[in-house]
Amino acid sequence: MESIPWLESEIEHGFWRAVSHVAGRIGTCLRLRALSGMIIAHRGGKLNGGRAAVQSRSDHTLRLERDDAGWHATGDLAVRLGSPHSIYAEWRWDGHRLSLRNDRYGMLPVFAVVEPNRVILSTSIQGALEAGAPTDLDPAAMAVILRLGYPVGDDTPFLSIRTIPPGVTIDWDAVPALRGGPFIVPPNGLARDPAMDAYVDLFRQAMGRCSPSGRFVVPLSGGRDSRHILLALLEAGHRPDHLVTTHYRSPRSREDVRIAALVAEELGLGHEVLSQTDLPVVAELRKNLLTNYCTPESHAWYLPVADHLATGFDVSYDGIAGDVLSMARYLRPADLEEFRKERFENLARSMLERDGTSLRGMLRTAAVDLFSLESAIERLRRELPRHAGASNPVRSFRFWNYTRRAIGPVPFSMVRGPQVHAPYLDHDVFDMLAGLAPEVLMERAGHFHTDVIKHGYPRYAHLPFESADYRGAGYPRSDRQYARNALMYLIRTGPATQISRRYVMPRLARCVLDPSYGQSVTWLAPRAIYLTQLQAMIERVTSSRTT
């Protein structure tokens, strides 16, 4: 086994002997083709004979440059993605004018670089960089991303690249400008019981507007959002080809599979359970690419579903926004009070300290200063007032930032192939739910959506939902596998320059050896992988510009 001198010198109190044992188990893996070469290249391929490690991409990019003769275009002159009646984005260059439009939520990501003499539009950040976008990171955006796990507003990791805002309808024939943003739904004054009736009726109407055509499948969890979709489909006479559920990775509960199986049996529907076939690091690398490096949060668990949906289905359904719109889970009275008193700096600090990840120790001193807590607080402080006028400002902030930027890429970027219907984003459903006062959701222990489903479909009221049990049996093993994979990847590629090896590497090794510490891998590894992959992508793009 090759020695790893820098790691050996950094392990204290005799811990090196234990780490040597781990490294011995890793040694044979180091002779495999480098994960970085196979996966960071992001272009097809397999790992150890398994399923495709990287999905093929169908990115679109338009580059406009202006000189004395006018604007000149290269790339995709006209692109239309999604459905104009649902989630969509489109642009068109006719030789003189650029038209750009998207849906009211801005869920389908399009990235833009807007300069006086250059405009780049791309459906991926990598595409924008390859078209010439500057590679400078946005320190404030990164400070937020690394702590909360998602960007806010239209930020990306890069200073020059923005996500186009929601509700853009722009025709440019001079120097372009991006205008748009979240809209605020006024309070509707509905009490709980009338709101429940309205929810049932409006959701049925929404499902009628997105009836399936062709072969379709319903991803089913143990929760409320997907079950409401399924029951509404069956009520309308639409039976899916089958239901599909996936095993979560640690630390999520595995109750989904058990509960979904009970529902499928009760309804007499076929049910397929998908396993996590990718190695954890491979899954993280795929996820980072497909979500455009905008969230180190681990949504990689959804990749088996995305792969399955790409095998010949015409339509699928997703419950995006159902939770944030109709559950009290994310509502904290203290946060509502801070919003109402406009104490945005206090709220920003509270959110980052409560929900965020501490980076001190994980990052080198220079990176801690660059991606500082204070810069994250200031960036968040500027975003929060945009939601202060909403009937439920906590919900508004979470929807337009977490749901749009961290969850939206799951059904609308990861899934390649079938049309994805998102009935909770139906305009009538969304506007009614977004107009509810927070107290409506918090009544009766916050079980609003549960009670709505039982009210609308009493025949199935006896079926349970996923319990609050956070972890299940077998997770220590998956934690150790994840830590081994991450340690192997970082040893082979070298961690990003912002990462403190003295902090990260020994802790990953401890995750392998100490079951009581193993769960730490679920916050440590994704951020280490994310930063390392992001740096490798920047270096590759920069290198390609000099050749």
Side-chain angles (χ1 to χ4, degrees):
M1 182 191 75
E2 287 185 300
S3 65
I4 310 171
W6 59 264
L7 183 59
E8 182 171 348
S9 67
E10 291 165 7
I11 306 298
E12 299 176 349
H13 307 301
F15 193 51
W16 167 245
R17 183 170 299 176
V19 175
S20 295
H21 172 71
V22 177
R25 299 174 67 179
I26 291 171
T28 56
C29 298
L30 295 179
R31 292 190 292 272
L32 296 173
R33 288 180 298 170
L35 278 172
S36 58
M38 291 171 51
I39 301 164
I40 297 181
H42 306 317
R43 293 286 186 252
K46 295 179 180 293
L47 180 65
N48 295 342
R51 299 177 66 174
V54 180
Q55 292 178 327
S56 62
R57 297 190 62 91
S58 54
D59 292 334
H60 304 279
T61 301
L62 170 68
R63 178 183 171 122
L64 295 172
E65 290 189 285
R66 183 165 61 177
D67 58 21
D68 293 340
W71 288 96
H72 308 279
T74 55
D76 300 300
L77 303 185
V79 171
R80 174 174 289 181
L81 305 168
S83 167
H85 304 294
S86 180
I87 304 302
Y88 78 97
E90 61 184 17
W91 73 70
R92 180 179 180 82
W93 171 254
D94 65 5
H96 303 282
R97 174 173 295 191
L98 176 65
S99 299
L100 174 63
R101 289 165 174 78
N102 68 346
D103 64 86
R104 73 197 308 230
Y105 308 111
M107 284 285 176
L108 217 164
V110 173
F111 301 95
V113 177
V114 178
E115 299 170 350
N117 294 310
R118 179 172 64 172
V119 175
I120 298 171
L121 297 177
S122 183
T123 54
S124 75
I125 279 184
Q126 184 169 306
L129 292 170
E130 290 172 348
T135 59
D136 303 289
L137 291 175
D138 184 334
M142 287 294 294
V144 173
I145 290 170
L146 291 172
R147 288 175 172 84
L148 288 186
Y150 57 91
V152 296
D154 303 317
D155 292 354
T156 78
F158 296 93
L159 200 58
S160 66
I161 304 176
R162 302 292 93 180
T163 302
I164 64 169
V168 166
T169 303
I170 295 175
D171 294 293
W172 293 327
D173 53 12
V175 177
L178 287 174
R179 296 184 181 90
F183 59 90
I184 301 301
V185 178
N188 54 33
L190 287 177
R192 193 176 196 273
D193 289 346
M196 289 176 58
D197 291 335
Y199 198 170
V200 172
D201 292 340
L202 291 173
F203 199 78
R204 283 174 175 148
Q205 295 171 33
M207 292 302 297
R209 287 188 283 269
C210 61
S211 297
S213 58
R215 190 172 177 227
F216 78 100
V217 65
V218 176
L220 182 68
S221 71
R224 293 137 189 87
D225 306 333
S226 59
R227 189 177 306 181
H228 199 166
I229 291 171
L230 177 60
L231 294 177
L233 282 168
L234 294 174
E235 181 182 48
H238 304 297
R239 293 181 67 83
D241 186 86
H242 61 274
L243 309 175
V244 61
T245 308
T246 187
H247 286 289
Y248 285 116
R249 294 190 188 274
S250 173
R252 289 286 299 272
S253 166
R254 292 181 176 176
E255 275 280 276
D256 265 2
V257 171
R258 183 182 72 84
I259 299 297
L262 291 175
V263 173
E265 182 178 9
E266 177 78 17
L267 299 175
L269 295 170
H271 182 219
E272 185 167 349
V273 178
L274 305 176
S275 298
Q276 298 289 340
T277 55
D278 283 336
L279 292 173
V281 171
V282 176
E284 282 296 316
L285 294 168
R286 290 184 63 194
K287 177 266 296 179
N288 289 337
L289 169 67
L290 293 170
T291 59
N292 288 291
Y293 303 95
C294 284
T295 170
E297 288 291 308
S298 189
H299 301 301
W301 64 268
Y302 195 79
L303 286 167
V305 178
D307 291 340
H308 184 74
L309 295 178
T311 60
F313 295 99
D314 301 298
V315 172
S316 182
Y317 289 84
D318 195 272
I320 184 171
D323 57 350
V324 70
L325 291 172
S326 50
M327 290 181 66
R329 175 179 173 184
Y330 307 109
L331 298 179
R332 295 180 175 88
D335 291 351
L336 288 168
E337 184 71 8
E338 297 283 31
F339 258 117
R340 288 166 178 165
K341 293 186 176 180
E342 299 186 352
R343 295 193 295 233
F344 301 121
E345 184 171 344
N346 289 350
L347 180 55
R349 186 176 297 276
S350 172
M351 290 173 62
L352 288 162
E353 291 177 350
R354 179 188 65 222
D355 300 331
T357 296
S358 174
L359 301 180
R360 192 166 298 278
M362 178 183 175
L363 300 183
R364 292 183 174 180
T365 302
V368 171
D369 293 339
L370 183 63
F371 308 141
S372 69
L373 175 61
E374 292 306 315
S375 64
I377 290 170
E378 173 57 22
R379 179 63 189 92
L380 203 52
R381 185 198 63 77
R382 289 187 284 112
E383 176 65 24
L384 290 169
R386 303 175 77 187
H387 309 276
S391 61
N392 185 337
V394 174
R395 174 179 54 205
S396 179
F397 171 84
R398 188 168 182 86
F399 173 80
W400 290 108
N401 292 281
Y402 177 72
T403 302
R404 174 180 169 241
R405 301 301 311 279
I407 304 299
V410 174
F412 302 121
S413 292
M414 280 189 183
V415 176
R416 304 294 176 102
Q419 181 180 7
V420 178
H421 290 304
Y424 294 96
L425 298 180
D426 177 90
H427 294 190
D428 292 344
V429 172
F430 180 90
D431 290 353
M432 188 278 293
L433 292 174
L436 294 178
E439 291 76 15
V440 172
L441 301 185
M442 292 190 288
E443 285 181 38
R444 302 181 193 175
H447 295 157
F448 181 69
H449 202 183
T450 300
D451 293 344
V452 166
I453 294 171
K454 291 181 177 181
H455 175 58
Y457 305 94
R459 177 180 175 184
Y460 304 107
H462 64 286
L463 290 172
F465 292 99
E466 181 183 10
S467 74
D469 181 24
Y470 194 57
R471 287 172 63 88
Y475 276 117
R477 180 191 300 177
S478 64
D479 290 339
R480 288 197 298 272
Q481 182 195 39
Y482 191 1
R484 281 196 301 270
N485 286 173
L487 193 59
M488 178 186 76
Y489 171 70
L490 295 174
I491 289 173
R492 180 62 184 85
T493 64
T497 54
Q498 302 101 331
I499 293 174
S500 169
R501 290 183 173 186
R502 290 179 178 272
Y503 183 91
V504 170
M505 306 301 272
R507 281 163 178 78
L508 285 175
R510 183 180 173 188
C511 289
V512 177
L513 300 168
D514 182 356
S516 68
Y517 192 75
Q519 191 178 342
S520 298
V521 72
T522 60
W523 70 264
L524 180 62
R527 283 162 174 79
I529 294 166
Y530 169 84
L531 285 169
T532 301
Q533 185 183 9
L534 184 64
Q535 178 175 300
M537 190 261 290
I538 293 170
E539 291 173 351
R540 189 174 60 258
V541 168
T542 302
S543 176
S544 69
R545 294 176 182 177
T546 62
T547 58

